[in-house]
Amino acid sequence: MDQTNKYTHTSYLENEGRFKGILSWLLSTDHKRIGLLYMNTIIVFFLVAAVLGLLMRIEKMAPGADIMDAQTYNGVFTIHGIIMIFIIVIPGLAAVFGNFFLPIMIGAKDVAFPKLNLLSWYIYVIGAIMGVLSQFVGGGAPDTGWTFYVPYSAESATNVLFALTAAFILGFSSILTGLNFIVTIHRMRAPGMGWFKMPLFPWSLYATAWIQVLATPIIGITLLLVIAERTLNIGFFDPALGGDPLLFQHLFWIYSHPAVYVMILPAMGVVTEIFPTFSQKPVFGYTAIAISSLAIALVGYFVWGHHMFTSGISYWSRWFFSFLTFIVAVPSAIKVFNWVSTMYGGSIDLKPPLLYAISFIFLFMIGGFTGLALGSLATNVHLHDTSFVVAHFHYIIFGGMGFAFFAGIHYWFPKMYGRMYNIKLANIAWGILFVGFNVLYFPLFIIGLQGMPRRYFDYLPQFETGHFVSSIGAFILFAGLILMLYNLVRSRRKGPWATANPWKGVTLEWQIESPPTHENFETIPEIKHPPYLFKKEND
Amino acid sequence: MAETTIQQHQGEHEAGKLGMWIFLFTELFLFGGLFLVYAVLRATYSADFHRGAEELDAFVGTLNTVILLISSMTVAMSITAIRRKESGKALLLLVTTILLAGLFMVNKYFEWSHKLELKIYPGSPVLENMERGELLFFGLYYMTTGLHALHVLIGMILLTITAAKVRSKQITSESYLLLENGALYWHLVDLIWIFLFPLLYLVT
């Protein structure tokens, strides 16, 4: 299959179907095209939110109000959070790579409900647009933070209503995607692919989908109740009317903590695909990785209280939630152990996807260990609501999920577009990103320990060095992002043609043409082997 | 070849049903959040909830429960009828279900407008002067029955579309996924009411 010239088949990029031009994308029910729709939307919003993040860092470069006042800063960190969480990382990997590769990796021609799949993209776009609109209409940009804590979110004069509705609508989209994936995995696996012959990225999507389906309705009803609180004065969360604000926090985190696993599980799935390919060695502990995804999903459902250690919940519930938080570290550590063991003794090929995947482990572990400091009752009291927390979840969400997204995009790019990016440039961009990331977020751990509170636009003089270094890191990170995106966007049309299997991967997506045809497979493959079976060179 | 198309068809039917069941889970969790709010507030204000429930008309509540239970039966019978290729009977049973749902909504309308006449609605001065727990009870009453009524309306639309397709022979004994899913949805609407009814009307 050595194709050095342009491919000869009709790929999904050319097969327009019933409609032509832009409509062939906007009305396509092809899971690959929908995956790209999600990807492009997400990248646009990611750039917007990243610029907002950069603005916050510029504001904090020196003490005092530099480029914005306190109220603007409140609005900026709120919309930064809403976009990053609800529009980017929650759909993120599942909607982009899940849509594109789940059917291919299980040997199917599409997801179970292609029309529903397109509908969920439209719902997603409507929600995203509403989120952006909340900035410009009504009483000003919402200033509650993405967590919408009552009673403030019920009272704030800003346009919280739009933001709440946006998050509610985005939840619908998430549910429909999850539902689609569960049915797809149950019903559409190729003949011979038993559950334990399924690659591990689909496994992680399966666990993710269940969280999406079972946790998202809770945030749906909670947001609906806050909307009712604002419009009808219904009082469930308002202490003045006898309601209970802590009840809101419980309901909010019952969803929003599992949502963290909606973000991270597919990320783990992506790197689990990358390690065996670039070590040319079967994944270590296949079953343990598959089961630990489900274990994380299950235990992750019962740890939400660790966001509320300082809000006055009882001693025993704090004890219980802290204990469970430590338990959830176990399946995560199992995965890390398995990834490292997969590389051990393999013939390692240090290409950009593997660089990102390795840095994923590094950053995820820093995020995970600092998570244990936050999950312990005593240290949590000291660290709660400091920039230590900000650093922790950026290490998990950006260092974990973000870097896994970059890993995935560099891994599957030749399959998605049939072209290769500039590897040297990708390596340089990775280096800049990795350095910038750590320079940006690591100082926040230190000043957080020293008492720098989160969500403040100003700070005491003793935190100046830390903030200054962190802001420098933000610029480096941003430069890395631009370089990475430039390389990818340029190579989409101008990169050299890629072969069907440039990394010598063994999962199904590497056995078909690049880019795949509309139907993925000419004939549905019959699966006879476990998914990660590498042939020895002399076989 | 004919055999594979039948198999494919059955596959689609099964996938569609699985999708519907998962969707119903999400609906249960949506209402589950409300039940959680109910549990917490009721534990805090049990005496007020007791008084609040006395204000509700248990007779109308019981009547609506009976109506929904019968409608669940008629929609289930409609599936049996279509399986037996009696699409005329299936259509009749579906229309009966929709009419019963309409009756439920009419009762609900009178019930709500009676409450509004008494000036019991969220934000009203009458309600603000009541005990905190009673205020929250009526908040819950409106939220839960309101959300449920919305589901009744969606169910009615779904069943009307289904009935039209039964009429135009698009739903037959060979292919009745939509009817089955519509009925499943309708059972959910019924099921949620079965929980709402005692929690709101019978806790006196």
Side-chain angles (χ1 to χ4, degrees):
Chain A
M1 272 275 232
D2 212 319
Q3 279 173 302
T4 37
N5 290 317
K6 185 183 171 2
Y7 44 85
T8 46
H9 61 283
T10 312
S11 79
Y12 78 101
L13 291 168
E14 293 144 329
N15 183 344
E16 296 196 319
R18 274 195 298 155
F19 304 96
K20 299 288 158 230
I22 185 86
L23 283 185
S24 73
W25 288 90
L26 293 179
L27 297 175
S28 172
T29 53
D30 181 350
H31 66 100
K32 299 178 287 296
R33 289 195 164 211
I34 294 173
L36 289 196
L37 283 177
Y38 269 110
M39 188 169 81
N40 291 320
T41 331
I42 281 175
I43 287 176
V44 169
F45 278 100
F46 176 71
L47 283 177
V48 172
V51 168
L52 290 169
L54 187 64
L55 287 177
M56 281 192 280
R57 280 321 320 168
I58 295 172
E59 162 57 34
K60 283 192 173 180
M61 210 152 176
D66 303 322
I67 58 166
M68 56 179 101
D69 58 17
Q71 183 59 24
T72 317
Y73 187 83
N74 292 347
V76 171
F77 78 65
T78 301
I79 194 67
H80 171 82
I82 291 175
I83 295 182
M84 284 293 192
I85 298 283
F86 290 113
I87 302 181
I88 294 159
V89 288
I90 288 183
L93 283 148
V96 177
F97 301 124
N99 260 322
F100 201 110
F101 288 105
L102 169 66
I104 302 180
M105 289 175 92
I106 62 172
K109 293 188 171 178
D110 207 324
V111 291
F113 310 113
K115 281 182 196 158
L116 193 68
N117 203 13
L118 182 65
L119 177 70
S120 60
W121 181 74
Y122 274 99
I123 297 176
Y124 165 80
V125 169
I126 293 171
I129 290 173
M130 277 203 85
V132 173
L133 276 183
S134 71
Q135 298 298 296
F136 304 109
V137 294
D143 58 352
T144 59
W146 76 276
T147 46
F148 299 120
Y149 267 25
V150 288
Y152 186 64
S153 63
E155 287 162 8
S156 167
T158 58
N159 194 13
V160 184
L161 211 55
F162 253 66
L164 287 167
T165 319
F168 180 79
I169 294 174
L170 288 165
F172 257 106
S173 159
S174 182
I175 288 177
L176 293 181
T177 306
L179 188 156
N180 217 336
F181 285 3
I182 293 177
V183 179
T184 307
I185 293 172
H186 269 275
R187 311 263 352 155
M188 318 248 319
R189 278 170 290 134
M193 184 180 276
W195 281 94
F196 288 95
K197 281 187 185 164
M198 191 163 73
L200 288 161
F201 182 53
W203 260 109
S204 71
L205 287 173
Y206 184 69
T208 309
W210 274 112
I211 310 178
Q212 283 177 306
V213 163
L214 295 183
T216 318
I218 307 282
I219 192 82
I221 191 71
T222 311
L223 296 173
L224 210 58
L225 290 179
V226 181
I227 291 172
E229 199 95 348
R230 283 184 74 90
T231 52
L232 305 171
N233 207 11
I234 212 151
F236 298 156
F237 304 134
D238 183 357
L241 293 175
D244 186 353
L246 264 191
L247 183 58
F248 170 84
Q249 294 187 19
H250 277 294
L251 287 169
F252 180 82
W253 289 114
I254 285 178
Y255 165 72
S256 297
H257 194 77
V260 174
Y261 299 104
V262 170
M263 307 167 196
I264 202 71
L265 276 171
M268 293 168 157
V270 168
V271 299
T272 311
E273 294 299 328
I274 290 173
F275 285 115
T277 300
F278 291 91
S279 312
Q280 289 294 300
K281 204 170 147 259
V283 72
F284 184 88
Y286 170 91
T287 319
I289 295 185
I291 299 296
S292 65
S293 288
L294 295 180
I296 289 177
L298 184 73
V299 184
Y301 217 101
F302 299 101
V303 299
W304 77 83
H306 68 214
H307 295 270
M308 302 167 60
F309 285 158
T310 59
S311 34
I313 56 175
S314 73
Y315 170 75
W316 278 108
S317 54
R318 274 184 289 158
W319 187 93
F320 182 72
F321 280 123
S322 178
F323 176 73
L324 283 175
T325 304
F326 279 78
I327 295 288
V328 89
V330 175
S332 313
I334 288 177
K335 282 181 188 281
V336 171
F337 174 75
N338 282 322
W339 293 325
V340 175
S341 306
T342 302
M343 285 192 290
Y344 178 79
S347 46
I348 290 177
D349 187 12
L350 213 54
K351 289 275 165 38
L354 188 64
L355 283 174
Y356 278 109
I358 293 173
S359 47
F360 164 89
I361 297 189
F362 180 79
L363 301 173
F364 178 71
M365 273 175 48
I366 295 183
F369 285 136
T370 52
L372 293 181
L374 287 164
S376 311
L377 293 178
T379 41
N380 178 276
V381 176
H382 178 69
L383 297 171
H384 187 86
D385 260 353
T386 65
S387 70
F388 189 90
V389 180
V390 178
H392 157 72
F393 70 69
H394 279 90
Y395 263 87
I396 292 286
I397 296 177
F398 192 177
M401 185 273 172
F403 271 66
F405 192 97
F406 300 154
I409 216 170
H410 284 90
Y411 181 49
W412 282 313
F413 188 90
K415 183 54 64 182
M416 295 165 98
Y417 290 103
R419 299 196 183 239
M420 187 54 91
Y421 47 83
N422 183 331
I423 296 216
K424 203 179 205 176
L425 209 57
N427 284 339
I428 296 171
W430 167 81
I432 299 175
L433 270 171
F434 185 70
V435 170
F437 181 91
N438 285 297
V439 176
L440 165 54
Y441 293 112
F442 204 82
L444 297 185
F445 281 128
I446 299 165
I447 56 176
L449 274 172
Q450 292 165 344
M452 172 67 210
R454 66 188 283 204
R455 292 182 168 175
Y456 276 53
F457 86 118
D458 196 7
Y459 48 85
L460 295 172
Q462 71 250 37
F463 302 124
E464 196 174 348
T465 318
H467 276 302
F468 183 77
V469 173
S470 170
S471 296
I472 297 294
F475 282 106
I476 302 175
L477 181 72
F478 205 75
L481 272 179
I482 300 293
L483 187 62
M484 182 193 80
L485 277 176
Y486 162 78
N487 186 17
L488 293 177
V489 171
R490 196 189 145 275
S491 310
R492 245 178 4 163
R493 291 186 199 284
K494 300 210 173 115
W497 300 110
T499 57
N501 190 0
W503 316 123
K504 300 196 204 74
V506 287
T507 36
L508 280 177
E509 80 270 32
W510 300 111
Q511 317 310 321
I512 58 174
E513 292 99 334
S514 300
T517 56
H518 174 65
E519 299 249 280
N520 301 341
F521 303 94
E522 268 173 47
T523 46
I524 294 294
E526 205 159 329
I527 311 299
K528 300 195 180 90
H529 305 289
Y532 301 100
L533 211 57
F534 288 87
K535 286 198 181 117
K536 293 273 176 343
E537 293 223 345
N538 47 5
D539 275 5
Chain B
M1 275 321 276
E3 203 174 310
T4 51
T5 47
I6 288 172
Q7 269 176 358
Q8 250 174 12
H9 183 76
Q10 278 171 344
E12 266 168 45
H13 189 96
E14 290 303 311
K17 246 167 79 176
L18 181 61
M20 192 64 194
W21 274 104
I22 295 168
F23 178 72
L24 294 184
F25 285 162
T26 71
E27 290 277 15
L28 284 179
F29 274 75
L30 187 79
F31 278 93
L34 272 174
F35 287 131
L36 207 61
V37 173
Y38 179 94
V40 170
L41 296 179
R42 162 107 188 268
T44 324
Y45 300 102
S46 46
D48 288 346
F49 268 51
H50 179 81
R51 271 195 299 281
E54 277 177 344
E55 300 261 346
L56 299 185
D57 193 335
F59 175 73
V60 182
T62 314
L63 190 65
N64 266 346
T65 311
V66 174
I67 290 173
L68 276 192
L69 281 175
I70 295 175
S71 73
S72 244
M73 182 183 74
T74 52
V75 84
M77 285 163 73
S78 165
I79 298 182
T80 315
I82 206 94
R83 277 194 193 133
R84 291 185 184 168
K85 301 183 179 165
E86 300 172 55
S87 56
K89 203 185 260 176
L91 183 62
L92 186 70
L93 285 161
L94 262 181
V95 172
T96 315
T97 312
I98 297 165
L99 287 178
L100 285 169
L103 198 59
F104 176 92
M105 291 306 286
V106 169
N107 278 339
K108 195 97 262 170
Y109 169 77
F110 282 117
E111 202 188 349
W112 274 37
S113 42
H114 179 64
K115 291 280 166 314
L116 293 179
E117 263 170 46
L118 296 174
K119 302 247 182 307
I120 299 177
Y121 54 86
S124 76
V126 176
L127 204 58
E128 305 253 304
N129 286 329
M130 286 187 178
E131 293 291 325
R132 297 290 81 152
E134 274 189 85
L135 181 148
L136 294 171
F137 176 82
F138 280 107
L140 269 169
Y141 166 75
Y142 278 106
M143 273 312 285
T144 49
T145 58
L147 197 61
H148 179 260
L150 182 69
H151 279 76
V152 173
L153 283 178
I154 296 171
M156 283 171 78
I157 296 170
L158 195 62
L159 291 179
T160 310
I161 296 171
T162 314
K165 290 204 169 176
V166 171
R167 224 192 121 168
S168 64
K169 306 280 183 221
Q170 280 169 283
I171 293 177
T172 60
S173 62
E174 253 99 67
S175 139
Y176 54 90
L177 175 65
L178 185 65
L179 176 59
E180 199 158 6
N181 279 348
L184 277 175
Y185 186 83
W186 193 250
H187 291 320
L188 171 95
V189 171
D190 189 17
L191 179 77
I192 286 172
W193 180 258
I194 299 290
F195 280 92
L196 287 182
F197 172 59
L199 288 178
L200 293 171
Y201 293 78
L202 300 183
V203 289
T204 52

